[in-house]
Amino acid sequence: MNPKFDQILTLALQGDEKAQEDLFTALRPLILSSIRKYHYRPEQFDDLQQLGLIAIYECIQSFDPTRGVHFLGYVKSQLRYLYLEMNRERVSLSLDQPGPDGLAPIDLLEDEANIEEDFLVRQDHLELSTAISALTPTERQIILDYYYRGHSMKQIASDRGNSYRTVVNNKKRALKKLKDHLKNKI
């Protein structure tokens, strides 16, 4: 390791206040990385740094070199446990509870569903379904085969055993009936 750091550490463990201050300065990056890694809350950043310094001071007081653990490993684990324990204090927010501005978060959420448009589409589908049910069975089958099942006119004629022209005329007559029926509803 760094001989200068080892000297500062030895003096700090013996109670030298200047060495302890130097140790705090040297371990500041460890405190910052521990905060970012285990408990980052920007509004508490200064308090978290101070708590990290207190934890290092307590590590200096309680460190036992005879246990075979390096001081930096000991400090790192103590900071980790400190910030993880603080992280248990979860602040639960309710979407219904108004914030400082008086607005509840639920009121700020946008709903992509358009109730009125959905209603109108359902009404249109209902009207179309009613109009289709008013067709003759042959006309209804041709409309369903062509528009809903995607069959070609040639295929519909072949399946029904009719001529192509008959199927076209039935489709044309069915569309006229649907148009007239829907026009009267509007």
Side-chain angles (χ1 to χ4, degrees):
M1 186 136 206
N2 185 343
K4 185 176 180 184
F5 180 80
D6 288 340
Q7 181 183 12
I8 292 172
L9 177 61
T10 305
L11 292 172
L13 291 173
Q14 292 172 355
D16 184 345
E17 289 183 16
K18 171 73 171 110
Q20 288 178 358
E21 288 178 22
D22 292 342
L23 187 63
F24 292 150
T25 303
L27 294 179
R28 180 174 161 70
L30 179 60
I31 294 172
L32 298 177
S33 70
S34 296
I35 290 170
R36 277 189 221 101
K37 193 172 190 179
Y38 302 116
H39 186 81
Y40 185 69
R41 294 206 179 125
E43 70 277 0
Q44 298 176 347
F45 192 71
D46 292 334
D47 293 337
L48 294 171
Q49 286 185 66
Q50 293 301 317
L51 289 171
L53 291 172
I54 292 170
I56 291 174
Y57 179 76
E58 290 172 354
C59 287
I60 292 171
Q61 302 303 316
S62 64
F63 181 68
D64 184 5
T66 61
R67 293 189 139 194
V69 177
H70 194 275
F71 181 76
L72 287 178
Y74 179 60
V75 169
K76 186 175 180 180
S77 67
Q78 292 301 314
L79 289 173
R80 177 176 178 241
Y81 292 128
L82 168 73
Y83 296 127
L84 283 176
E85 185 63 32
M86 290 181 70
N87 214 17
R88 287 187 184 192
E89 306 167 4
R90 296 267 185 224
V91 178
S92 59
L93 299 175
S94 170
L95 292 177
D96 294 327
Q97 185 178 11
D101 56 0
L103 295 173
I106 193 79
D107 296 332
L108 302 175
L109 296 176
E110 288 188 34
D111 186 10
E112 293 182 18
N114 186 338
I115 296 171
E116 291 134 3
E117 185 176 319
D118 291 345
F119 175 76
L120 293 175
V121 167
R122 277 192 296 246
Q123 277 303 113
D124 290 345
H125 285 225
L126 181 63
E127 291 296 329
L128 183 59
S129 177
T130 304
I132 289 174
S133 66
L135 299 174
T136 66
T138 301
E139 293 168 340
R140 184 179 322 119
Q141 192 62 46
I142 291 172
I143 293 295
L144 292 176
D145 285 346
Y146 186 76
Y147 288 104
Y148 289 100
R149 294 183 187 100
H151 297 166
S152 68
M153 296 298 283
K154 190 174 186 178
Q155 183 181 4
I156 295 170
S158 173
D159 291 345
R160 297 187 59 78
N162 293 352
S163 71
Y164 179 83
R165 191 76 230 152
T166 302
V167 173
V168 170
N169 289 340
N170 280 327
K171 178 182 160 234
K172 186 176 179 180
R173 190 172 31 258
L175 289 176
K176 182 172 180 353
K177 285 181 183 179
L178 290 174
K179 182 179 177 183
D180 291 341
H181 181 43
L182 293 174
K183 189 188 298 184
N184 293 334
K185 296 295 180 179
I186 297 175

